[in-house]
Amino acid sequence: MMPDSISPGALKSEDEHRRDICAVGHWLHQRGFVAATDGNISLRLDPRRVLTSPTNICKGMMTSDDLVITDLEGQKLSGRRNASSELAMHLLIYRRRPEVNAVCHAHPPVATGYAAAGLPLDKALLSEAVLALGCVPVARYGTPGTAELTEAIEPLVQSYDAILMANHGVVTYGPDLLTAFFRMETTEHFARVALVTELLGKQVLLSGEDVEKLLAARARYGLQTAAPTSAECPVTSDAASPDRVTLTRQELEALVEDAVRQDRVRR
Ligand SMILES: [Zn+2]
């Protein structure tokens, strides 16, 4: 039977970590965040070893002895299967973010839709998303399983905890596996709500002041996130003020021509 919860506490045995990865794989599959053998999950067992899902297996059907242990260079230390094909991306994140101990990669359909459209999830639409993620950028496309993919996410790893991967999927990470998984779930939820506001044709963004209050609450709750916030991220109602008008060059030229014409007529 598949596990449906993960073990409590931070200090866990290797067996508990193995069961936790299988539980998260089951959740990703159950929620439709991965299809077929998509996705991969890993956690840092200690400063030198990483426990990862294997390649070419449905993440909803893994058992503890399917998992693979590698070193931080990706060399297999134990396991009868081969390590995830996206392990290099996980290892980059562990190298760049010493406080990160778990990484989830999946293809949740709505967030992946935003990634395929090249659209970041960067608007202050949901208080919980501002608290947990700030905003979620889009990394440029890189062929899966190659150095291109690692190079594409590299500039964003330091500053974000969730990244949309263009024409591919989503990667999230955190101090423990449950946090990394929750960030995946929050990213997909955020994308679904953002899509509904697009369908409704109306978005009411939080103000800069609202976002400031959420950031103060984030510190109060002790939420650890690298997610930066600035005037542009997430985009607030102040930036998208109704007083501001955005025009294409063509529209601007048409307006200027029209004004000049009307001026000539008056003379
Ligand atoms: Zn993938």
Side-chain angles (χ1 to χ4, degrees):
M1 215 176 88
M2 291 299 166
D4 57 3
S5 65
I6 79 172
S7 35
L11 290 172
K12 300 183 185 188
S13 68
E14 188 185 309
D15 275 352
E16 285 174 312
H17 283 310
R18 284 176 184 269
R19 284 199 293 273
D20 288 355
I21 287 187
C22 294
V24 167
H26 183 54
W27 294 344
L28 290 176
H29 191 246
Q30 198 181 38
R31 285 159 173 74
F33 290 4
V34 287
T37 59
D38 295 350
N40 29 74
I41 309 155
S42 74
L43 58 79
R44 203 196 302 252
L45 280 176
D46 58 44
R48 293 187 309 279
R49 296 184 309 150
V50 168
L51 180 65
T52 170
S53 56
T55 188
N56 204 22
I57 192 173
C58 171
K59 303 307 169 296
M61 299 174 190
M62 290 185 297
T63 57
S64 289
D65 58 0
D66 287 323
L67 306 186
V68 179
I69 295 180
T70 74
D71 63 18
L72 280 173
E73 277 69 53
Q75 289 298 318
K76 184 159 98 172
L77 301 175
S78 67
R80 56 190 168 86
R81 291 175 172 271
N82 290 326
S84 160
S85 54
E86 298 298 5
L87 183 64
M89 173 174 74
H90 295 232
L91 297 176
L92 167 83
I93 295 167
Y94 292 130
R95 279 197 298 272
R96 290 298 154 89
R97 296 281 299 273
E99 82 289 10
V100 163
N101 292 312
V103 178
C104 270
H105 164 58
H107 307 160
V110 182
T112 302
Y114 274 81
L119 295 172
L121 291 164
D122 63 351
K123 291 182 183 159
L125 278 169
L126 285 179
S127 54
E128 291 303 319
V130 172
L131 274 172
L133 300 169
C135 50
V136 186
V138 187
R140 68 174 198 274
Y141 180 72
T143 308
T146 71
E148 260 179 32
L149 184 123
T150 317
E151 284 160 17
I153 69 154
E154 190 166 14
L156 300 168
V157 168
Q158 204 65 45
S159 309
Y160 299 91
D161 293 329
I163 300 172
L164 302 181
M165 302 152 70
N167 307 92
H168 183 165
V170 181
V171 62
T172 59
Y173 34 94
D176 54 68
L177 186 55
L178 197 57
T179 306
F181 171 76
F182 282 163
R183 285 176 177 163
M184 183 65 72
E185 204 172 36
T186 302
T187 301
E188 178 64 358
H189 185 71
F190 184 10
R192 284 182 194 172
V193 175
L195 179 62
V196 171
T197 62
E198 299 279 357
L199 292 171
L200 293 170
K202 188 166 162 61
Q203 291 183 323
V204 179
L205 303 186
L206 297 174
S207 68
E209 195 186 337
D210 294 329
V211 169
E212 285 299 321
K213 287 184 197 163
L214 287 169
L215 296 186
R218 187 195 272 177
R220 241 186 357 261
Y221 299 154
L223 285 177
Q224 291 177 352
T225 168
T229 52
S230 66
E232 294 85 37
C233 170
V235 177
T236 64
S237 59
D238 307 359
S241 152
D243 299 339
R244 276 183 197 221
V245 177
T246 308
L247 294 174
T248 64
R249 188 183 182 88
Q250 207 176 12
E251 287 164 339
L252 179 65
E253 283 171 356
L255 276 177
V256 171
E257 270 170 29
D258 198 37
V260 170
R261 204 178 309 120
Q262 283 184 20
D263 189 51
R264 281 205 200 106
V265 170
R266 255 184 255 126
R267 288 177 199 202

